[in-house]
Amino acid sequence: MGEKVVAGVVDLSDRQRYREKLRQCLAGLGRLLAEERFDRPKNLMGLEIELNLAGPDGLPRMLNAEVLERIASQDFQTELAMFNLEVNIAPHRLGGRVLDQLAEEVRTGLAYAHRKANEVDAGIVMIGILPTLAQDDLVPANLSAADRYTLLNEQIVAARGESFQLDIEGVERLTCTSESIAPEAACTSVQLHLQVTPARFAGVWNAAQAVAGVQIALGANSPFLFGRELWRESRPPLFQQSTDTRPPEVAAQGVRPRTWFGERWIDSAYDLFEENLRFFPPLLPICDEEDPLKVLDDGGVPSLAELVLHNGTVYRWNRPVYDTVDGVPHLRVENRVLPAGPTVIDVMANTAFYYGIVRALAEDPVPVWSRLPFEAAARNFDDACRHGIDAELQWPRPGRHGTVRRIPAVTLVLEELLPLAAGGLDAWGVEPADRDRYLGVIEERCRKRVNGASWQTATFHRARESGLDRHAALAATTRRYCELMHAGRPVHTWPVGLPRPALPPG
C-alpha cells in the first residue's frame, strides 16, 4: 500500500478514462512480454514485515506517526492503522549466507525500532493479529493519516454500499459489523518477493499457490480476534470480509471477492493482470499522464502506473508485481501468505522453506500443478487456515501418475517437502550452514507440532485455568508473547503458559 495517492473527488469521467488507461497498460505489458524487454535473472529476493505497536500492558497503541518520527528511517513506513508499521528490507541476491545476513538486518532494525517505540510507552510486536485488539480499536478514526488509506476506504465503502459483515466461525464464533475497512488493519503479514523472468513466472507462481496451504500450516500465528478464538490463521477470512465490496446478493451470484486465492493454474504473468481487469472494477481511478503505448513506440519503458495501482487493490495471496528499476522492467512474485512473527528466526525459517520449496517445485519436470487440481490447492489453504499445524492436506503421491491423497501437513513436510526445500536452497547456492539451521527450525516445529498459533492458544487456556478472565488472559498471553519474541528463541522452544510470580523474600 505504499503508492502515493492524493485524495480527491472521483467522477464518472475519471472512471471511464481510467478503464481506457488500464486497457492501454495491459496492451503495453503484452508488448513488453512479446518483445522480451524484461530484466535478465538476478536471483533477487525481498522481504517486508508488517508490525504492531503495543504497550507494556499488551494493549494496542495508536502511535505510528510518533514512532516513525523517532525511527527516522525510510526502511520503516506507515501502514493502514495507527497501531501498524511496516519494515522493508533491501533486496538481496539469493545465495551464500543470505539468510543469516537477512536475520541480522531484521533483528537490528526491529531492536532499534523497539527502543524508539519505548520512548512513547509502546513496543514492536511481530504477530499475525494482536490478541488484545478490540472492535473499538478498528474504526475510521484510527486509520493512518494518509490520502491513500482515506480514498481506499471511501471507495470500498461506496462500492459495497452498506456495513461490512464479519462472520467467522472457528473454535468460537465472531459476528459483528464495521462501517469501514479498518478491521483489515488487524492483519499483519510477511511478504516475500522473488524477481523472476517472464519464462519462469508461471512456474514460480503455480508452485507458490500449490504450497500456500503448507506455509499456513507451518506458520499460523493469528488465532484470536476481538476476544474470540477463531481459526488458527484468522487473517484470510478477516481480510476477505473486511474488504468485500460485494453485497450478499452479489456474492450469492458467484462474483469473485477482491481478496482471492484464484481459480486456476496460469501459463503467464499476463494471465493474472488480464484477470484483474476482467473481474475487478477499479477502486482508485487515478490516471497518470504517461501514454504507455507511445512510450513503447518511442523505445522507452512505461511505468504502467494504472495497471500497478489497480493490481494493488486486488488482494491475491500470491500477487504478480510489475516494476522498473533504472529504466528496466521486471516481474516479481509477491508471496503474502504468512503472518508476521513470532521471532526473527521463525520468520527466516519460513523464508528459507518458501524459497527452497518454490525453486524445487518450479523446476520439477513433472510439476505438482499437473497432478494436483487447483481446487485441492484452494481447499488446502482453507483447511490450513482453520487447523494450522494439525491440518490434513491433499497432495499427490510421489511419482509421475501419483494419485492425490490426504496427509497430515507435518508428515508431508517431514517426509517429502523438507528434502525438496533443501535441494531448492542448494540450487540457489545458499550455504549449507544457513540451509540446515533454518530448515531445522521447520523440522522441529513439525516434530513438536508447535507454531505461533498453537502456543498462543495453549498459553491462553492455561491462563484461563489459572483464574484469569478472558480479557486478562489475552493481555497476559500477549505480554508473555512479547517477552519471548524479543528474547529471540524459536517458538517451538517456548514454554507454554505464564511464568509463575516470584515468591516474596523470606
Side-chain angles (χ1 to χ4, degrees), residues 157-204:
V157 169
R160 183 172 176 86
E162 58 187 81
S163 299
F164 297 88
Q165 304 291 322
L166 302 184
D167 188 347
I168 306 172
E169 186 167 7
V171 177
E172 300 175 295
R173 185 175 184 181
L174 170 71
T175 58
C176 62
T177 62
S178 174
E179 303 304 312
S180 74
I181 66 170
E184 175 198 334
C187 306
T188 46
S189 307
V190 171
Q191 289 132 40
L192 302 173
H193 292 255
L194 180 60
Q195 184 176 328
V196 294
T197 61
R200 294 179 63 197
F201 185 95
V204 171

Side-chain angles (χ1 to χ4, degrees), residues 24 76 89 108 140 145 200 214 216 292 300 437:
Q24 293 174 11
F76 286 83
I89 306 301
T108 301
R200 294 179 63 197
V214 179
I216 287 289
R437 180 184 185 195

